[in-house]
């Protein structure tokens, strides 16, 4: 081997000699003669009259012999993260290829709080006041509307609403004349517009940006933003089409954090819809100067009576902003999530954008779903509200105390993720095309409950199809934001402890489980918001969560498999109330990654227990029964998760999840009376698509199974069986997927059992409260019998 290596080295050394310049290079230090070019004899680098030249180095000969003897290593970790936030290829094929190229895909993360001077030639003041200089260099050349108040009050929609409200007021009060009622409503509309409007100031944006650079550097480790994602937003901002940012809502910091990140990257800050609960002294003027406009949390002052004037003013104000090319930002979930999971979408403000497009006020709009991941939440985890206490209203002194407390605490890192902007025009055309082809106007069933399908204004005259389209846009945006939400270190640690190790675990085993769950998350094309050594990441997450949530017991001794005493650290989660709410809040952000596979696994387990209770023998189940039971479980948990976007049916998504479990050999699939087969989900999907495209039938003369393609009927007749082996880790993975949803299923079962008991008892209180409990219990009585099959 040594002779062979020397032979290859000598051959490639001759090739390297031939690659050198033909002009001779003096290797002595003597000065060359006059008129000759000056060469420097540095090893590997040549200089000719100030020009640097590096000859090609053919180093393959030195490494060729050791190629097979040296093991291949893969570099992992680091700040690089893949840009996995592209649009849906089913309903948005054009937007998927818009603003995206291979350069964006290869960009990595950047800490937005890290400000660098451009060069060493900067002056002394620029180096010392780098934050101030950086904020002055930001691009604030954009303009904002100045006569917006007049446009709102003189609009036809507001005038009609004033006339209607004046007529109702004069009708209710015989002493009030129509003219006085009109004058009163006009003053009310003017006051509403003044209190609502944002007063964006470029000087305030620069000043607050400078303050936040100082403050956030003290309380946060970093604000990580993928440069490819922000580049897509910049490319979309260069067009004349307004952008609508749709972030998930986790903290009060969301209101200014997204504006701050956009300001740092020279993107025009949007107008942000904020609840009137934040309209407190001092902070009200700061938020309005940063683009915030305040809206009522309850649009109607009296229940059952619509405030048409306020709705008209809000609708017109947002429509005028879009008409003048301004950017909008509102939280599609409405309020902040109290459980850590993504809430159901609210379509009120979304209907304004869709109505503006349908009325041709704007030609198009780009929606940008955004997710903001916190390693530690600034607002707390809503423990008191989860325990049943009322929400504490925001006050000035309460905000001051909270800020003072926040400034003295470390909250780790924050990850801001921008999804690829998608066109509202393309989405509407795709939805209408699907409706003309025989599908629903809101695409296929998603298994998600439509919690809000009403429009902000004009619900009485709005078509049902348009309300469905609004709900589809909201659900699609929310699913995109939830799917790109990164898993932070505290989320993964809390998830591992809550799901697997509620009774504690030693550090060595926790590291293995942490790495395994991280690999499973990345394998499912979800990103994580941390990097580095696993033990260092776990210790960092333990410090952020604190000793009041997770207890660390040092010098803990236990016996390993060889019966040897091993000393390690015991990590023990505190699962008593209300501490468990803290951990569950962080853990719930990871549950959505495994929810579909956990649904399939729990469906199979429920069928297995049902068969054992009946005394039947057998080892497998029909595929259609597994999917039917899984769809049943999804229906029970429809208020908890977003299973699929509106353009994809829930049945298809569950079928793909089942195929993935078959490909992972957790389940085995075979035809009735045939041998077991394993196939990938991609192959199964391809087979189903080919079968559906090649099969033709006359639906007017056929019914029942005759309208189903033969291959689809064969797929429904497949037999699904467990394929668990203790030696290859399949049993541990199956148990893990089962435990992901078991606590939630048991909670639903306990709640249903409690409500059924309450329905047969006499309760004190008002009739309305009693009727509410009885009505809910009646609805959940059939749910109780269904849930029994899913509980161990």
């Amino acid at each position: 081997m040594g002779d062979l290596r020397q032979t290859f080295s000598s051959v490639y050394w001759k090739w390297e000699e031939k690659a050198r310049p033909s002009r001779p290079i003096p290797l002595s230090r003597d000065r060359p003669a006059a008129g000759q070019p000056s060469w420097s004899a540095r090893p590997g680098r040549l200089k000719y009259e100030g020009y640097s030249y590096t000859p090609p180095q053919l180093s393959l000969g030195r490494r060729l012999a050791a190629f097979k003897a040296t093991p291949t290593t893969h570099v992992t970790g680091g700040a690089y993260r893949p840009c996995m936030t592209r649009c849906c290829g089913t309903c948005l094929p054009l937007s998927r290829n818009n603003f995206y190229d291979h350069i964006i895909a290869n960009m990595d993360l950047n800490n937005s709080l890290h400000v660098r001077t451009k060069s060493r030639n900067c002056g002394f003041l620029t180096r010392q006041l780098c934050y101030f200089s950086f904020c002055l260099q930001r691009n604030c050349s954009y303009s904002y509307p100045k006569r917006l108040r007049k446009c709102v009050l003189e609009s036809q929609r507001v005038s009609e609403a004033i006339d209607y409200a004046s007529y109702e007021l004069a009708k209710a009060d015989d002493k009030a004349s129509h003219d006085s009622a009109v004058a009163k409503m006009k003053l009310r509309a003017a006051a509403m517009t003044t209190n609502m409007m944002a007063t964006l100031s470029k000087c305030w944006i620069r000043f607050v940006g400078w303050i936040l650079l100082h403050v956030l550097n003290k309380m946060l480790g970093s604000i990580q933003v993928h440069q490819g994602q922000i580049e897509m937003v910049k490319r979309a901002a260069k067009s004349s089409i307004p952008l609508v940012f749709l972030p998930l809502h986790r903290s009060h910091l969301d209101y200014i954090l997204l504006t701050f990140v956009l300001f740092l990257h020279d993107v025009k800050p949007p107008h942000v819809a904020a609840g009137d609960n934040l309209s407190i002294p001092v902070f009200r003027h700061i938020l309005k100067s940063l683009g915030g406009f305040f809206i009522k949390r309850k649009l109607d002052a009296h229940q059952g009576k619509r405030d048409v004037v306020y709705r008209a003013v809000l609708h017109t104000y947002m429509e005028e902003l879009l008409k003048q090319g301004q950017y909008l930002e509102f939280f599609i979930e409405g309020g902040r999530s109290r459980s850590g999971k993504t809430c159901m979408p609210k379509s009120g403000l979304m209907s304004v954008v869709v109505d503006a497009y349908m009325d041709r006020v704007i030609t198009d709009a780009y929606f940008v779903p955004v997710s903001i991941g916190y390693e530690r939440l600034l607002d707390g985890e809503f423990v008191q509200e989860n325990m049943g206490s009322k929400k504490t209203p925001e006050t000035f002194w309460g905000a001051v105390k909270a800020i003072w407390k926040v400034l003295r605490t470390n909250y780790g890192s924050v990850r801001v993720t921008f999804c690829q902007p998608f066109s509202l025009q393309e989405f509407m055309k795709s939805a209408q095309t699907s409706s003309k082809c025989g599908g629903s106007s809101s695409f296929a069933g998603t298994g998600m409950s439509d919690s809000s399908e009403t429009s902000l204004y004009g619900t009485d005259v709005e078509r049902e199809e348009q309300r469905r389209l609004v709900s589809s846009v909201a659900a699609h945006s929310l699913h995109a934001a939830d799917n790109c939400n990164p898993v932070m270190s505290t989320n993964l640690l809390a998830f591992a402890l809550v799901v697997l190790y509620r009774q504690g675990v030693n550090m060595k085993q926790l590291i293995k489980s942490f790495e395994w769950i991280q690999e499973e998350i990345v394998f499912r094309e979800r990103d994580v918001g941390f990097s580095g050594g696993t033990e260092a990441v776990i210790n960092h997450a333990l410090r952020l969560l604190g000793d009041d949530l997770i207890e660390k017991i040092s010098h803990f001794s236990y016996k390993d498999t060889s019966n040897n005493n091993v000393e390690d650290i015991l990590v023990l989660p505190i699962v008593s109330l209300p501490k468990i709410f803290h951990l569950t809040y962080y853990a719930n952000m990871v549950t959505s990654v495994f929810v579909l596979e956990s649904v399939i696994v729990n469906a199979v387990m429920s069928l297995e227990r049902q068969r054992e209770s009946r005394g039947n023998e057998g080892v497998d189940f029909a595929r259609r029964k597994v999917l039917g039971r899984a769809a049943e479980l999804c229906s029970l948990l429809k208020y908890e998760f977003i299973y699929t976007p509106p353009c994809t049916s829930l049945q298809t998504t569950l079928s793909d999840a089942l195929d993935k479990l078959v490909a992972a050999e957790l389940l085995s699939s075979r035809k009735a009376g045939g041998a077991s087969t394993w196939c990938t989900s991609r192959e199964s999907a391809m087979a189903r698509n080919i079968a559906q495209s090649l099969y033709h039938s006359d639906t007017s003369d056929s019914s029942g199974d005759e309208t189903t393609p033969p291959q689809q009927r064969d797929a429904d007749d497949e037999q699904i069986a467990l394929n668990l082996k203790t030696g290859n880790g399949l049993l541990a993975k199956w148990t893990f997927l089962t435990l992901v949803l078991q606590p939630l299923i048991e909670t639903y079962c306990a709640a249903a059992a409690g409500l059924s008991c309450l329905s047969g008892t006499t309760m004190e209180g008002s009739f309305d409260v009693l009727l509410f409990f009885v009505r809910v219990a009646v609805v959940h009585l059939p749910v109780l019998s269904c849930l029994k099959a899913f509980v161990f």
Side-chain angles (χ1 to χ4, degrees), residues 162-176:
I162 290 175
D163 292 340
Y164 176 80
S166 302
Y167 173 78
E168 292 292 330
L169 180 62
K171 183 179 179 181
D173 189 0
D174 297 335
K175 297 181 180 180

Side-chain angles (χ1 to χ4, degrees), residues 128-377:
Q128 296 299 320
L129 305 175
C130 57
Y131 290 164
F132 183 75
S133 174
F134 181 78
C135 291
L136 287 180
Q137 295 173 7
R138 298 303 93 205
N139 181 20
C140 292
S141 59
Y142 33 81
S143 60
Y144 292 104
K146 297 181 179 180
R147 302 181 61 184
L148 195 59
R149 183 175 183 273
K150 183 178 179 181
C151 295
V152 171
L153 295 177
E154 294 179 356
S155 64
Q156 181 181 357
R157 181 183 290 108
V158 174
S159 300
E160 292 177 355
I162 290 175
D163 292 340
Y164 176 80
S166 302
Y167 173 78
E168 292 292 330
L169 180 62
K171 183 179 179 181
D173 189 0
D174 297 335
K175 297 181 180 180
S177 62
H178 180 71
D179 295 338
S180 62
V182 170
K184 183 178 180 179
M185 288 299 167
K186 286 184 177 180
L187 292 176
R188 182 169 178 264
M192 288 178 181
T193 307
T194 303
N195 294 330
M196 181 187 302
M197 286 181 53
T199 57
L200 270 163
S201 172
K202 300 176 184 178
C203 297
W204 263 103
I205 291 176
R206 294 185 188 273
F207 176 73
V208 174
W210 173 65
I211 294 294
L212 288 178
L213 279 174
H214 286 276
V215 173
L216 295 181
N217 268 292
K218 295 182 178 298
M219 52 186 286
L220 297 177
S222 63
I223 299 179
Q224 299 291 338
V225 181
H226 195 285
Q227 295 305 295
Q229 298 169 3
I230 199 67
E231 182 63 27
M232 289 190 295
V233 175
K234 287 183 178 180
R235 294 180 182 182
K238 292 180 181 179
S239 63
S240 58
I241 299 175
L243 302 183
V244 180
F245 296 93
L246 305 172
L248 300 180
H249 202 8
R250 296 292 181 268
S251 169
H252 281 317
L253 187 61
D254 298 340
Y255 292 104
I256 59 176
L257 186 60
L258 184 57
T259 300
F260 174 67
V261 170
L262 294 176
F263 164 73
L264 295 181
H265 292 88
D266 296 331
V267 180
K268 179 169 64 174
H271 289 71
V272 186
D276 59 352
N277 58 313
L278 297 179
S279 183
I280 54 181
V282 180
F283 296 97
R284 168 186 176 87
H285 299 286
I286 294 177
L287 291 178
K288 293 187 71 173
S289 300
L290 297 177
F293 63 95
F294 295 98
I295 60 177
K296 295 181 180 179
R297 298 180 66 88
K298 294 183 178 180
L299 298 183
D300 303 321
H302 304 283
Q303 187 175 2
K305 186 178 181 180
R306 295 171 57 84
D307 192 347
V308 293
V309 177
Y310 184 81
R311 289 173 177 265
V313 169
L314 178 57
H315 189 111
T316 307
Y317 175 69
M318 294 181 63
E319 190 177 87
E320 286 293 329
L321 289 176
L322 293 171
K323 184 179 180 180
Q324 300 188 27
Q326 302 300 315
Y327 299 166
L328 288 179
E329 175 192 341
F330 54 87
F331 300 100
I332 197 68
E333 300 171 282
R336 292 170 294 169
S337 173
R338 263 56 178 177
S339 62
K341 292 179 291 189
T342 303
C343 302
M344 295 298 105
K346 305 295 188 299
S347 304
L349 298 183
M350 177 68 74
S351 66
V352 178
V353 185
V354 177
D355 290 346
Y357 169 76
M358 299 295 289
D359 296 338
R360 298 183 179 180
V361 176
I362 56 176
T363 58
D364 197 3
Y366 285 132
F367 287 115
V368 187
V370 184
S371 69
I372 304 176
Y374 297 90
E375 280 193 324
R376 183 179 178 184
L377 208 62

